[in-house]
Amino acid sequence: TPIEESVLAVARAGAGTNNIPVDVLTERGVPVFNTPGANANAVKELVLAGLFIASRNLIPAARFAHTLEGDDAEIAKAVEAGKKQFVGTEICGKKLGVIGLGAIGAEVANAAVALGMEVYGYDPYLSVNGAWRISKEARHATSLEELCRQCDYITIHVPLTDKNPGMISEKEIAAMKEGVVFLNFSRDKLVDERAMEAALTSGKVRLYVTDFANPLSVKLENAIVTPHLGASTEEAEDHCAVMAVKELMDYLDNGNIRNSVNYPDCDMGVPVSAQRIALLHRNVPNMIGQISAELAKRNINIDKMTNKSRGAYAYTLLDLESCLPAEDEAALEAIPGVIRFRAVTGG
């Protein structure tokens, strides 16, 4: 679908942006926002449901109950005879491995600690702020292999990138405990499901709980597959929508970027100077010098400025003591490497 030239920003109510042409929009100077954490509680609750369903054999038990026929006495007799095959285990005291300790993983870890589980977390990219969110009772796994060796249940909560498809492969599965339960409420492609199929057949993995129905997963034996229900709650949809709108408003009104997947976070609060201008540009040397020089030619002083980069792209916000004349905006946009110029306020 063609993207109108008038588009200034795009927001996705959710974490994934696979349905958005991010590369195309980046080249046009259009920030793409997502809403990380807005659906964290919804996904956490579904993960907990997966733990309980898996540990207590609830789905096969419910299917069995629906087959029962007869009067009260006959059904009671059948229940007593049949329920033995659905004996489960309690999750309290068991070891849970959480791969990825972002907004969702942290909530899952904390909830599992509260339920009496021994939690191991693995996240090589964990930030200081992220670490503060996690219960002090959770243990730090120094490697993915260590986590796999230790845990009775393992759940994955990392974003899918072009570098990590199949990060749970035959190698990681081989390191797991015999009879482990693996839960995937993140993305199906993070798991090599052919390797998982073999592990389910051999019994190495007792149960695979996944929120992603695909031609392979729906046919897996010893798998519980749900139709992408992670964020499907009324509350999560509201949270995501509100967060997306706030991100767009803050960008359009103030030039601030929060939770963009293609441009760096940059926040200068509400403008108080005569004018705020924003430049989305390539991350190349002397960009700030060229911008400053163009403003100096016009006797415009910079009151406050911030510049942030993200890979090959960067973002510069400037608060000016006087307004840049509209006819001079083209000079800034003509600087080599500038993708888009925007006068946010004033003028």
Side-chain angles (χ1 to χ4, degrees):
T1 303
I3 302 167
E4 296 293 332
E5 289 294 330
S6 59
V7 172
L8 295 177
V10 173
R12 164 75 161 84
T17 54
N18 53 300
N19 58 344
I20 298 171
V22 176
D23 291 345
V24 173
L25 292 167
T26 303
E27 280 295 315
R28 286 178 40 179
V30 177
V32 177
F33 299 92
N34 65 355
T35 55
N39 60 9
N41 186 69
V43 178
K44 174 202 75 178
E45 290 186 0
L46 193 60
V47 173
L48 295 178
L51 283 171
F52 290 124
I53 287 169
S55 64
R56 299 301 298 271
N57 299 313
L58 293 180
I59 289 182
R63 287 175 180 155
F64 164 75
H66 281 291
T67 67
L68 300 178
E69 296 179 348
D71 58 24
D72 284 348
E74 290 169 326
I75 288 180
K77 183 178 180 180
V79 164
E80 287 305 312
K83 72 178 184 180
K84 297 177 182 142
Q85 62 187 304
F86 306 113
V87 172
T89 58
E90 297 178 14
I91 64 171
C92 183
K94 301 301 188 299
K95 295 179 180 178
L96 173 69
V98 182
I99 304 169
L101 294 166
I104 295 171
E107 289 214 15
V108 170
N110 292 343
V113 166
L115 289 167
M117 300 190 81
E118 190 176 321
V119 175
Y120 289 76
Y122 173 72
D123 190 335
Y125 306 107
L126 182 63
S127 66
V128 173
N129 287 337
W132 279 106
R133 293 196 301 259
I134 301 165
S135 168
K136 65 182 182 191
E137 295 181 44
R139 304 186 182 191
H140 173 229
T142 57
S143 69
L144 184 53
E145 184 180 357
E146 179 195 349
L147 181 145
C148 290
R149 285 199 315 266
Q150 292 282 351
C151 296
D152 307 298
Y153 298 82
I154 299 173
T155 180
I156 187 167
H157 300 285
V158 301
L160 178 66
T161 70
D162 57 0
K163 296 179 180 178
N164 66 2
M167 71 175 289
I168 304 301
S169 66
E170 186 176 345
K171 174 186 173 185
E172 287 71 33
I173 293 172
M176 294 177 190
K177 280 185 173 184
E178 195 75 19
V180 68
V181 173
F182 194 92
L183 302 96
N184 181 8
F185 290 86
S186 193
R187 283 291 181 268
D188 55 350
K189 288 183 170 51
L190 292 167
V191 176
D192 179 344
E193 290 187 334
R194 287 296 179 189
M196 183 61 69
E197 180 180 32
L200 290 167
T201 301
S202 71
K204 177 73 173 182
V205 176
R206 181 170 67 81
L207 199 62
Y208 178 48
V209 186
T210 177
D211 199 28
F212 304 99
N214 60 46
L216 176 58
S217 68
V218 296
K219 291 183 172 58
L220 290 176
E221 294 292 331
N222 299 317
I224 296 173
V225 184
T226 52
H228 204 181
L229 297 177
S232 294
T233 67
E234 294 177 5
E235 295 85 352
E237 290 175 359
D238 287 346
H239 294 329
C240 287
V242 169
M243 188 172 178
V245 169
K246 287 182 176 179
E247 290 167 350
L248 287 173
M249 289 177 64
D250 197 20
Y251 175 68
L252 295 175
D253 293 345
N254 304 315
N256 298 321
I257 291 180
R258 291 177 297 133
N259 299 320
S260 170
V261 302
N262 57 344
Y263 279 95
D265 281 4
C266 190
D267 189 346
M268 292 220 312
V270 177
V272 293
S273 300
Q275 186 181 42
R276 176 171 290 179
I277 62 173
L279 294 100
L280 298 115
H281 55 86
R282 302 191 190 284
N283 187 17
V284 295
N286 197 35
M287 181 59 69
I288 301 302
Q290 294 182 80
I291 295 169
S292 300
E294 289 296 335
L295 293 172
K297 287 179 188 177
R298 292 155 178 82
N299 294 316
I300 296 175
N301 195 43
I302 298 171
D303 180 44
K304 188 166 59 172
M305 178 186 73
T306 187
N307 168 265
K308 298 289 180 65
S309 63
R310 180 172 183 168
Y313 299 89
Y315 186 53
T316 301
L317 270 180
L318 304 103
D319 282 352
L320 309 179
E321 290 186 352
S322 55
C323 293
L324 178 71
E327 60 268 21
D328 290 338
E329 293 177 358
L332 290 178
E333 200 156 19
I335 295 173
V338 170
I339 301 170
R340 184 185 288 268
F341 167 89
R342 194 163 71 92
V344 180
T345 62

